[in-house]
Every structure is written in C-alpha cells, then in structure tokens.
C-alpha cells in the first residue's frame, strides 16, 4: 500500500498527498474537514491509516465535484465517522441515483455502474447552489467559487487561510503531459472557468492533480493552450476520412491516443470524453454532425 503524506500548506490548511491531492482543514488537533475524499480503491486505506496515526476525526467533507477520483470515500466517511457530506446541489443530485450518474458521467447501465462503483451513490447531508458564495462548517467559513465545465457543478473552495482549492479546473503541467483525452463535460464553459481564475488572487492554490502553488497564472495559460492544441489535433486527425460514424471515431482515437486496458472505468470514461470533445468541435464550427439512415455521421468542415 502506498502511504499518504500530510503536507502543511498555510495556517490550519494542509493537504494529503495520496493518488490525488486532498486538501485538509484542521478545526482543532483532532477534527478535520476534507475537501474531496480521493479514490475508493487506492486512497481509502492510506487515508484511513494516516487519520488513525494522527488520531483525526473527519468532521465534514466539502466536495469540489462528483467524479470517482474525488468522491470515492464520501459515503465511507459518512458511515464510519458520521462526517457531514456537503456538495453543490447539481452534483449531489447526480450522485443520489445510479441512473442519473449513467446519464451524466458514466455511459453504461445503472446496474453495471452499481456493480462496478457501488460506493458512488450517496445522499449529501447539505447542499449549496451556484449562488452560494460562502458556507459555514462549525465556526469556520469557506468561500465557494463556481468553476463549471469540467462537471456541471464543479466548485472551487477557499479555506479560512485563503488557500484556494481549484479541484480539476486546472491540471499541473506534468499531468497535462501524461493526459490522453481531457475529462471535461463542457469544453466551452470549462475554458471560461479557467480564464476566470486569472482574476482570483489568493495566498496559495491547491490542484487535485496535483500540488500546491503560490501563483496559477502560468498554469491557467498552459491549460488553455493545451486545450487549443488538442482541439486542433483532433480536428486534423478527423480530416483523414471524409465521414465518420461515432464508433469509427472511437476506434480511431483509441488507437491514435495509444490507449489500452479493458476496465469498466477506462471504457466509460473514454466514451464520455470522446463525445464531449466532439460536441466542442461541433460547437466551434469545426465538425458537422448529421442524422442520416438511422445513424449520426460526422465530418470536418474547416
Ligand atoms: Zn474530475
């Protein structure tokens, strides 16, 4: 088991470095608030061991969004530590039901999803809306910044120490280099959220994937350029044929991106990411989609 590491950020704000970076706010010596809870498979045991070693109780989990690498242990800590789970309303609605999760995040049947990722369904204890700018947990107040696009209700969180957790709105340079296809639901809105981060000025920033930073302007620019580069690359790749069916595009990109693996998550995440990328190319006027003879056909128009 890979060990999780507790790293000091500022004041009472720390982070746990595990498979992802999980910010932690210390209410006191014994009680903490987690901002997200990592993967169920890979982060649960290291997290449990670290919390036990330091004698820590999870008072609450304030979530950035409901992807499985960030909410894998919400239900677990809710059940084992009576942690209060606090989520944006739309994200809470999605994870409240497997059929909504299949529609929003994981193209599969609700039964398959329940079998593969049973820990994802949960009932949030408290929800907030896009208009909520602050939320109190105990005597402490956290700032909330809507950063939609990556998911519909993706939210940035500012700790009482002025540490801004941007979740998945930005990826570190290292992670961008290794990424095959971004997991972004709405590319246009996501770019607006990324740009809005240039106007945010805080003492520190935490990225879920990953690390702690004193400034993010360079990272924002790198993330925006990376998206532009990928958009042009996808369009140029699709020029290699006159017209495509969706499954032909999926097969082509799977090979072109050098992907492998047969796991349920690899498959559903890939399918979702291809569709979201194609929708962006259509929205940008680069690709056309037409329904003909019972199927959607795609082609590059510029
Ligand atoms: Zn995510």
């Amino acid at each position: 088991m890979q060990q999780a590491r507790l790293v000091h950020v500022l004041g009472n704000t720390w982070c746990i470095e595990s498979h992802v970076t999980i910010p932690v706010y210390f209410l006191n010596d014994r009680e903490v608030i987690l901002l997200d809870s990592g993967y169920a498979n890979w982060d649960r045991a290291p997290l449990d061991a670290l919390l036990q070693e330091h004698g820590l109780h999870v008072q609450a989990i304030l979530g950035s969004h409901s992807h499985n690498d960030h909410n894998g242990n919400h239900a677990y800590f809710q059940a084992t530590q009576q942690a209060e789970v606090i989520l944006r309303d739309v994200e809470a609605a999605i994870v409240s039901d497997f059929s909504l999760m299949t529609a929003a995040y994981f193209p599969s049947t609700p039964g398959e999803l329940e079998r593969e990722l049973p820990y994802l369904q949960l009932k949030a204890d408290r929800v907030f809306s896009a208009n909520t700018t602050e939320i109190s947990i105990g005597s402490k107040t956290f700032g909330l910044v809507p950063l939609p696009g990556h998911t519909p209700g993706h939210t940035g969180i500012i700790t009482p120490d002025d540490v801004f957790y941007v979740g998945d709105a930005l990826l570190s340079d290292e992670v961008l280099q290794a990424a095959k296809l971004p997991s972004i639901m709405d590319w246009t809105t996501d770019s607006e959220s990324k740009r809005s981060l240039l106007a945010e000025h805080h003492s520190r920033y935490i990225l879920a994937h990953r690390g702690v930073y004193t400034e993010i302007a360079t990272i924002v620019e790198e993330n925006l350029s990376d998206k532009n580069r990928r958009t042009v690359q996808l369009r140029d790749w699709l020029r290699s044929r006159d017209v495509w069916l969706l499954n032909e595009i999926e097969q082509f990109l799977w090979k072109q991106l050098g992907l492998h693996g047969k796991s349920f998550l690899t498959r559903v995440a890939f399918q979702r990411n291809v569709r979201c990328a194609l929708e962006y190319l259509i929205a940008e006027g680069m690709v056309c989609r037409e329904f003909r003879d019972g199927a959607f056909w795609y082609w590059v128009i510029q």
Side-chain angles (χ1 to χ4, degrees):
M1 176 181 84
Q2 187 183 311
Q3 281 194 332
R5 213 161 47 96
L6 199 52
V7 179
H8 187 228
V9 179
L10 194 67
N12 293 324
T13 306
W14 294 62
C15 63
I16 296 171
E17 290 290 0
S18 190
H19 285 84
V20 292
T21 301
I22 303 169
V24 191
Y25 185 81
F26 277 73
L27 290 167
N28 52 52
D29 287 351
R30 297 262 162 240
E31 292 171 313
V32 293
I33 295 167
L34 300 182
L35 309 186
D36 289 342
S37 65
Y39 285 99
N41 294 351
W42 299 327
D43 293 317
R44 183 173 299 174
L47 264 177
D48 255 344
L50 185 131
L51 293 169
Q52 208 169 6
E53 181 193 338
H54 295 275
L56 298 173
H57 170 253
V58 181
Q59 184 76 14
I61 301 171
L62 180 52
S64 67
H65 67 296
S66 295
H67 276 163
N68 62 298
D69 48 343
H70 303 291
N71 73 345
N73 299 303
H74 284 15
Y76 173 72
F77 287 124
Q78 196 180 37
T80 59
Q81 303 216 14
Q82 290 70 55
E84 181 188 21
V85 173
I86 308 167
L87 302 175
R88 173 66 205 281
D89 47 11
V90 63
E91 301 287 327
I94 290 169
V95 293
S96 70
D97 194 288
F98 283 112
S99 62
L100 291 175
M101 279 184 261
T102 60
Y105 294 147
F106 307 101
S108 60
T109 69
E112 281 175 318
L113 191 57
E114 186 171 5
R115 190 183 68 228
E116 297 287 338
L117 307 169
Y119 44 81
L120 285 190
Q121 184 167 293
L122 68 120
K123 188 171 171 358
D125 299 294
R126 191 159 29 136
V127 298
F128 57 89
S129 74
N131 301 323
T132 314
T133 55
E134 286 183 349
I135 196 153
S136 293
I137 305 173
S139 61
K140 300 294 176 183
T141 302
F142 291 76
L144 301 170
V145 180
L147 297 171
H150 178 74
T151 65
H154 186 281
T155 302
I157 302 164
I158 305 164
T159 76
D161 299 307
D162 194 39
V163 176
F164 191 176
Y165 173 49
V166 302
D168 279 357
L170 296 176
L171 299 177
S172 70
D173 192 38
E174 201 183 11
V175 174
L176 276 182
Q177 302 294 329
K180 299 287 188 183
L181 202 55
S183 285
I184 299 169
M185 181 174 274
D186 179 336
W187 287 42
T188 307
T189 309
D190 174 72
S191 291
E192 286 162 13
S193 290
K194 284 176 168 42
R195 267 185 225 107
S196 75
L197 286 168
L198 291 170
E200 294 284 340
H201 300 287
H202 300 277
S203 302
R204 296 284 187 285
Y205 305 87
I206 301 177
L207 275 57
H209 306 276
R210 50 185 297 153
V212 180
Y213 302 82
T214 50
E215 70 96 27
I216 48 166
T218 314
I219 303 173
V220 170
E221 298 298 348
E222 279 169 1
N223 273 253
L224 288 168
S225 320
D226 180 82
K227 270 180 83 178
N228 288 338
R229 185 185 59 75
R230 286 174 197 275
T231 305
V232 170
Q233 187 178 57
L234 285 171
R235 183 205 53 193
D236 289 349
W237 281 348
L238 293 179
R239 280 195 169 130
S240 62
R241 254 200 225 182
D242 290 341
V243 290
W244 301 83
L245 285 165
L246 179 59
N247 66 333
E248 290 172 339
I249 296 177
E250 287 173 345
Q251 278 184 322
F252 173 77
L253 291 181
W254 181 264
K255 245 188 223 164
Q256 203 71 11
L257 292 163
L259 288 161
H260 36 78
K262 288 185 203 155
S263 79
F264 170 81
L265 254 178
T266 306
R267 172 174 67 78
V268 295
F270 172 71
Q271 284 182 306
R272 177 194 64 204
N273 294 342
V274 169
R275 282 166 208 201
C276 295
L278 279 174
E279 275 161 25
Y280 180 63
L281 292 174
I282 293 166
E284 288 293 291
M286 294 180 178
V287 165
C288 197
R289 175 174 57 190
E290 196 176 285
F291 187 75
R292 214 189 301 149
D293 302 328
F296 279 108
W297 298 82
Y298 298 77
W299 66 93
V300 176
I301 48 175
Q302 59 159 284

